Amino acid sequence: MEFTLLKDVVTILILSLFVILICHRIRIPAIVGFLLTGVIAGPHGLGLINAINQVELLAEIGIVLLLFTIGIEFSLQNLFKVKRAVFLGGPIQVVFTILLAFSIAAWFKMPPQESIFIGFLISLSSTAIVMKLLQERAEINSPHGLVTLGILIFQDIIVVPMMLFVPILAGVTDNIGKSIIIDAFIGIAIISLVVLSAKWLVPQILYQVAQTKNRELFLLTVIAICIIVAWLTSNVGLSLALGAFLAGLIISESEYSHQALSNILPFRDIFISFFFVSVGMLLDVNFCLNHMTQVLIITVSVIILKTIIAASSCASLGFPFRTNMLVGLSLSQVGEFSFVLFKTGADHGLLNGDIYQYFLGVSILTMATTPLIIQISHPTVDKLTLLPMPKWFKSGLYRAEEIKSRVGKKDHIIIIGFGVTGKHLAHIATINQIPYVIIEINPRTVIQEKAKGESIYYGDAIHETVIEYADAKDAKLIVIGVSDPNATSKIIQTIRRINSTVHIIARTRFEHEADKLYELGASEVIIEEIETSVEIFNRAMHIYTLPKDKIKEYISNIRVEHSQSNEE
């Protein structure tokens, strides 16, 4: 049997290499590649895998390690950075998706338990795929990127309570009320144990192990903590995955969390690949081909409904239509944790027969189309904003003071985006009595800063009216400090239609993005990639006590070379 498993593992690895390479070439996420590997190698495909039960055991290890690393990565600091999106936008998105999916499933005469479970599955989106795509597009710190991040964080957290609720939905217990009370009591006891362990026990253990400077011992200790806590939770009737998540939380509070995470990640990535392969093996290709019309209709319906609900949850935070729709399109797919939850439900007898085949087909399609959806999201939303709609719907729910008439300034600075760059510039302008006006798309920021006496107005600088009311024709300088490269391009185009001579300073993250901004009309482009390298060079040369004039000369040469390369 061991030889059979080894042969199956080799088969999966070799097939995965080819499938994922092809997926990479056509920009399909690796997760989809692993799912397709399972489809090809599974019993409904070429039937290359014989030790299916053993592969599923490897998949279980993958789930445990996945939840363990999520626990380690859990950060209250990151949570509170996007707290409104997490605690308001996230619950609205998840709850309304569950309610809508439940209503539709119930309309098709499905049992209430299965209807609720389908709502659970559909409500989750893919953190791995979406965050990777947003990072590649340098949109993580944009308004829609931060809201998307917040909602995804909430989804990653809520999946644990969902997993605990699955046995109740499946009717494993006869007395639901009693079961909930017992689970709550056990949960409180375990959380107390986690807090105590995180504060006193585990940091001391890891400190003593770290003192040995033995990497193997440190790795064994981390894995032992994961397995012991998972085993304890399993023995009291909870899931291994929950125990692994709690074990990760225990380690996350220590100063050794980063080292632990770096040691575990390679193992997690290997075993979680087997999980997605094992899920792919469940898909019956013939079923999907025979029911292709229904699968496509459900897929399109899921994408549309999830887009609308996620956009509505973003709207509850007060953002304008454009930001809302970008968030909605980013979260329109079914996520990897839906498969984790689906596996738990399948083990308890939920979603048997044709229903889980529909779920698998729809999920794989939504994930495969996500890169294309995000790629076309900006031009699509730009066209949608041209449609007639109520002003409050287009500009957002919060009553931030909009820029409705000319501000009446000359030779002033227009600061677009009130992040770190905008705040520093406004502060220096105030000290030197330079007139300025700030345009900001986040309504809460406008309300808060307006109360402090800032000359700040709510508006989307992509629109000509907003730029005109900021007196762009009479401005001496316009600084674009937003973190959305697509928005930056459109703002430059809008400014140049109104004023062809005003000096525009824009920021961008990567050097290859600067050429486009110069072509659109930017006077200067500050490239974070270049400025970071210059600053590192500056500090490195100071360590070696080079003369300051020499350092300045080198830095000047770097900037000249960069400027000449842009002109070429």
Side-chain angles (χ1 to χ4, degrees), residues 399-420:
R399 294 185 176 179
E401 184 176 349
E402 295 183 56
I403 184 165
K404 298 179 179 178
S405 58
R406 296 190 181 279
V407 295
K409 294 185 178 182
K410 277 194 169 187
D411 293 331
H412 58 294
I413 306 173
I414 299 177
I415 302 171
I416 300 174
F418 202 57
V420 175

Side-chain angles (χ1 to χ4, degrees), residues 169-441:
L169 286 178
V172 173
T173 176
D174 296 327
N175 191 329
I176 294 178
K178 183 180 178 181
S179 176
I180 292 175
I181 293 172
I182 293 173
D183 285 348
F185 178 78
I186 293 172
I188 292 171
I190 290 176
I191 289 172
S192 301
L193 178 63
V194 167
V195 171
L196 293 173
S197 300
K199 193 169 182 64
W200 288 292
L201 181 59
V202 170
Q204 284 300 319
I205 293 173
L206 292 178
Y207 172 75
Q208 295 298 329
V209 172
Q211 288 292 97
T212 67
K213 297 182 180 179
N214 188 314
R215 291 181 59 189
E216 292 79 8
L217 181 59
F218 187 86
L219 176 60
L220 285 173
T221 305
V222 169
I223 292 176
I225 292 171
C226 173
I227 293 173
I228 290 169
V229 177
W231 176 75
L232 287 174
T233 57
S234 178
N235 277 357
V236 297
L238 302 177
S239 68
L240 285 170
L242 175 63
F245 176 74
L246 294 175
L249 284 180
I250 292 172
I251 293 177
S252 72
E253 293 303 312
S254 74
E255 60 266 37
Y256 308 102
S257 59
H258 295 295
Q259 181 63 36
L261 182 62
S262 64
N263 286 346
I264 289 294
L265 280 178
F267 295 96
R268 182 204 69 177
D269 293 341
I270 291 171
F271 283 104
I272 201 64
S273 65
F274 285 103
F275 167 71
F276 288 115
V277 169
S278 70
V279 171
M281 289 193 296
L282 297 175
L283 181 66
D284 188 341
V285 179
N286 290 327
F287 177 89
C288 290
L289 292 175
N290 293 333
H291 299 81
M292 182 58 71
T293 303
Q294 295 94 317
V295 170
L296 290 176
I297 290 173
I298 297 172
T299 300
V300 173
S301 300
V302 167
I303 291 173
I304 292 173
L305 292 175
K306 288 201 70 175
T307 297
I308 293 171
I309 294 173
S312 301
S313 67
C314 182
S316 70
L317 304 176
F319 285 95
F321 175 79
R322 183 174 181 275
T323 302
N324 299 338
M325 288 304 299
L326 289 174
V327 170
L329 290 168
S330 297
L331 297 173
S332 62
Q333 73 292 127
V334 176
E336 59 272 4
F337 274 111
S338 296
F339 293 111
V340 176
L341 198 59
F342 161 76
K343 198 78 164 51
T344 305
D347 293 341
H348 286 86
L350 288 171
L351 293 194
N352 292 316
D354 293 348
I355 299 173
Y356 77 68
Q357 290 296 338
Y358 278 120
F359 166 74
L360 287 172
V362 169
S363 301
I364 292 173
L365 283 176
T366 60
M367 295 173 79
T369 55
T370 297
L372 175 62
I373 290 173
I374 291 181
Q375 184 179 347
I376 66 172
S377 60
H378 285 276
T380 301
V381 171
D382 290 342
K383 291 178 182 178
L384 289 175
T385 54
L386 300 177
L387 297 174
M389 62 184 73
K391 189 175 182 182
W392 61 267
F393 188 76
K394 192 171 187 176
S395 60
L397 296 175
Y398 284 91
R399 294 185 176 179
E401 184 176 349
E402 295 183 56
I403 184 165
K404 298 179 179 178
S405 58
R406 296 190 181 279
V407 295
K409 294 185 178 182
K410 277 194 169 187
D411 293 331
H412 58 294
I413 306 173
I414 299 177
I415 302 171
I416 300 174
F418 202 57
V420 175
T421 302
K423 287 178 181 177
H424 285 312
L425 184 56
H427 177 67
I428 297 300
T430 301
I431 293 175
N432 292 278
Q433 297 182 336
I434 300 172
Y436 67 90
V437 61
I438 304 162
I439 305 298
E440 171 59 45
I441 200 172

